Structures are given as C-alpha cells and as structure tokens.
Amino acid sequence: MSFGQHLKFVQTTLLSNLTLINTKHYQTKDLCKKIDCCVKCVVAMETEGKIVASGVCHSDWAYLYDVAKMKPRPFPLILGHEGAGIVESVGPGVTKVSKGDKVIPLFLPQCGHCERCLSPKTNLCTKNWDKTQQGVLADGTSRITCKNQQIYQFIGISTFSEYTVVPEDNVTKIHPDAPLDKVCLLGCGVSTGYGAAVNTGKVESGSTCAVFGLGAVGLAAVMGCKAAGASRIIAVDINPDKSEIAKTFGATEFVNPKDHSKPIQEVLKELTNGGVDFSLECVGNVGVMRAAVEVCSPAGGICVIVGWIEVEELSLAPLDILLGRTLKGTYFGGWKSVEAVPRLVQDYMSGKFLLDEFVTHRLTLDQVNQAFDHMITGKSIRTVIEM
C-alpha cells in the first residue's frame, strides 16, 4: 500500500452548506446527515485513527445553529472535536505514536519547537494553525472525500466520523487502559473548564468564586475551583435542574438569575460583600461576560472568559478594569495539549477528578442531532457518540 493512495470507506456525519443556509431554527430540520465517504491514507507526518467515541460539544452546535456569532467555516464540513480512538496507521516520519496506541486527537497542536510552544506563557502553538482553522491539513487539502468532493475537517480533526486523519502534532498517546468513552471528554470541554480555573485563573485556596453557565465546561470549572481549594463556589445558571448537579462537582451555592429582579452581578455582590475573587464565564454570551467582569471584586478580582464566541463585541466601562480587576481569556484551559492531556488521563484514572459524572447520554453516530437537542434543552451534560 502506498501512502496517500489507499481509500477507506467509512460512515460519518456531514454538514451541508445548502441545508445550513436555508435553515434558521435548529428544531425545523436535522442539519447533520449520516453518509458514506472516503478517508485517504496518511501522508508524511500524519496519523490515521479509528474514532471509538466522541463527546458532543457546544461549539459543534454553535457552528451549526449560532452562525451569527461565529466566523464562517467552509462547507461541506464534518464536525466533532472531542474524540478518542486507536491508531490504525502512521505516515513516514511519525515518531510520537504507533499503530495500536490509544490516542486523543487535539484541535490545539503542540509541535514543541515554535516560539509559543517554548514559552511558558501560552499554549497557542502556531503549527498549521491557519490551515486547520479552515478545515484542511498542512498541504491545504482535507483527507476526507465524498463522491470525489473534498469534505472539510472541523478544526483539522473531525471526530464525528468512524475514521479521521490528523497531523502528528495534533494527537497524543494516552494510557493503554484508559476508557475511551470517558477520556474523550478531555479532548475539549472538561480540560477547558478545569484548566480555566487551575491554570488561567489560578484560583487560590480560601477564595470565593462564581461560575456562570453549568454545561460541561462550567461544571469542570466548578471542579477546578474546588481542586484549587476555593472555600465558596457560587454556581450560576438559568436551569434550576443544574443546582444539585453543580454541588456534585463542588459548588457550595446555586443562584438562578431568573429568581431575581436585579442584574445577577448585583445579586452576587450582595451575597459576597462587594464581589468575588474569581469569576469564570462559561456561556459564550457577551452580556454574561460583562456580568462576570462586574461581579469581581474591584480590589484584585480576576475574571476568566471561557465561553467561545468569535464575532460579537464585549462592551466594558473603563472603571470595570481601572480600579484593579483583571480580565483574562483561556483556550483549552491553558494546557499545552500533547504533554498535558496524557497527565489529565492519568489523574482521572487515579481518582483525582470526576469524569464519568459528565456523561449523561450515550448515542450512535446517526443520532447526533438528538444529542444536539439534549444539549440545547438542558437535558444533558455531555452526550457521548459511540461509533
């Protein structure tokens, strides 16, 4: 078999640009369709993996149904970016993984050589960044086709597929005993929220925290605040069903903005004698972001923006910052992906943090639209798609 010529026929979920353009409300039509397509074999410095399981992340939903808040992506497109699988083959020059290894594909690369990888201040590796953001790999093409048409790979990986091909710097080997249907969540949501608290925010022992939004990312942020030793963790969500769930992950209190006539930041300021030490916004809404900034104590409070949104503008008053608050952003929780994810897998297997509790539903690939419904109606924390 010569690299680059072999084709593997697989099933995947395809997002069509024509369907997207004609659909404004997600309830009206299923945008993801299960299809048969071809995955080309790897070329140099690439890895082909069989996806065993993939979490369904809010970002996948957002690129389908909340397009006004997102930069356009090329179509047709295969979504999914929170997966885990097993290496099927590797291209020439690949040294970090081998056939049979359990792996987690990574939308954030870590080449280990660029200026950013060598800096302790950031995890934003530049290797092939611009190309993977547009759904192609290093040579400017995707490895997935359907009826001779190129199918773009979401953030360069596409895990809503039985097989995928990713660059070597976008995959990491994990413990051989790791349960793939659980640790797939470390490919995005749980790592992002947990790291936002422990890495980016650097939550301190004895501090008071507020976490806005209690999806998987927000609950992981709650868990991170607890791990850091916060004494008071206020979980905020408009879904009352999240109250007891949040306490499972470490929240000490739950506040529903709908239960109050005042803006939520004013409610929390009253509860905390002037503001919290740390706030984490895990919704991706500019109004909530402003509330998260304003609820911080002006005397050194730190706000971390975690929720993903790309094109809307965040408006702040100068005094929101001038008096001493700090506003930060985080991407993948600040983790350097290739080296950090295997450690997170080990920590989970050692019982250092929760992971099983995030998985509320398990569905098959052709039920991905049902997974989106569970997410947006608040029925699920995380749905895992099993291939």
Side-chain angles (χ1 to χ4, degrees), residues 20 95 128 154 158 194 202 279 333:
L20 180 65
T95 60
N128 296 326
F154 184 50
S158 293
Y194 189 75
K202 293 182 169 56
S279 69

Side-chain angles (χ1 to χ4, degrees), residues 1 3-6 39-43 46 48 89 143 165:
M1 174 175 68
F3 289 106
Q5 295 179 349
H6 178 66
V39 175
K40 299 177 182 178
C41 198
V42 291
V43 298
E46 293 180 354
E48 178 197 23
S89 63
R143 298 293 169 268
V165 175

Side-chain angles (χ1 to χ4, degrees), residues 208-210 232 234 265-266 268-278 293-299 301 325:
T208 297
C209 302
R232 194 174 179 188
I234 305 171
Q265 55 267 48
E266 298 303 321
L268 296 183
K269 284 179 183 178
E270 291 178 2
L271 287 174
T272 57
N273 193 29
V276 301
D277 301 308
F278 298 90
V293 173
E294 293 180 351
V295 79
C296 284
S297 168
R325 295 181 178 97

Side-chain angles (χ1 to χ4, degrees), residues 108 121-124 192-193 195-202 217 279-282 289 292-293 302-309 314 316 321 325-335:
L108 176 65
K121 297 180 179 180
T122 182
N123 62 343
L124 298 180
T192 297
V198 301
N199 294 332
T200 308
K202 293 182 169 56
V217 174
S279 69
L280 298 102
E281 194 279 348
C282 303
M289 291 175 184
V293 173
I302 295 174
C303 175
V304 182
I305 302 299
V306 192
W308 189 253
I309 187 172
L314 172 61
L316 296 174
I321 303 297
R325 295 181 178 97
T326 298
L327 175 60
K328 293 184 172 185
T330 190
Y331 191 67
F332 196 54
W335 303 106

Side-chain angles (χ1 to χ4, degrees), residues 214 219 237-248 254 256 259 377-381:
L214 301 177
L219 291 171
D237 200 285
I238 59 174
N239 183 348
D241 295 338
K242 296 295 180 74
S243 176
E244 292 303 314
I245 296 170
K247 292 174 182 177
T248 300
F254 174 81
N256 186 337
D259 293 338
T377 56
K379 294 179 181 178
S380 66
I381 300 174

Side-chain angles (χ1 to χ4, degrees), residues 2 12 39 87-88 126 138 145 147 149 155 171 176 206 212 240 247 283 294 305 309 318 323 330 339 356 362 366 376:
S2 60
T12 186
V39 175
V87 175
E88 287 271 313
T126 58
T145 61
K147 298 180 180 179
Q149 180 181 0
I155 329 180
V171 67
F212 293 80
K247 292 174 182 177
V283 180
E294 293 180 351
I305 302 299
I309 187 172
L323 294 180
T330 190
E339 63 187 52
D356 299 24
R362 295 178 181 277
D366 58 349
I376 207 63

Side-chain angles (χ1 to χ4, degrees), residues 49-50 64-65 67 102-103 107 111 147 174 208 220 251 281 283 300 321 326 329 364 369-370 377 382 386:
K50 175 178 174 59
L64 273 170
Y65 305 115
V67 293
K102 286 187 175 181
V103 294
F107 60 86
C111 69
K147 298 180 180 179
I174 61 173
T208 297
E281 194 279 348
V283 180
I321 303 297
T326 298
T364 56
N369 292 292
Q370 185 178 336
T377 56
R382 250 325 180 253
E386 297 177 328

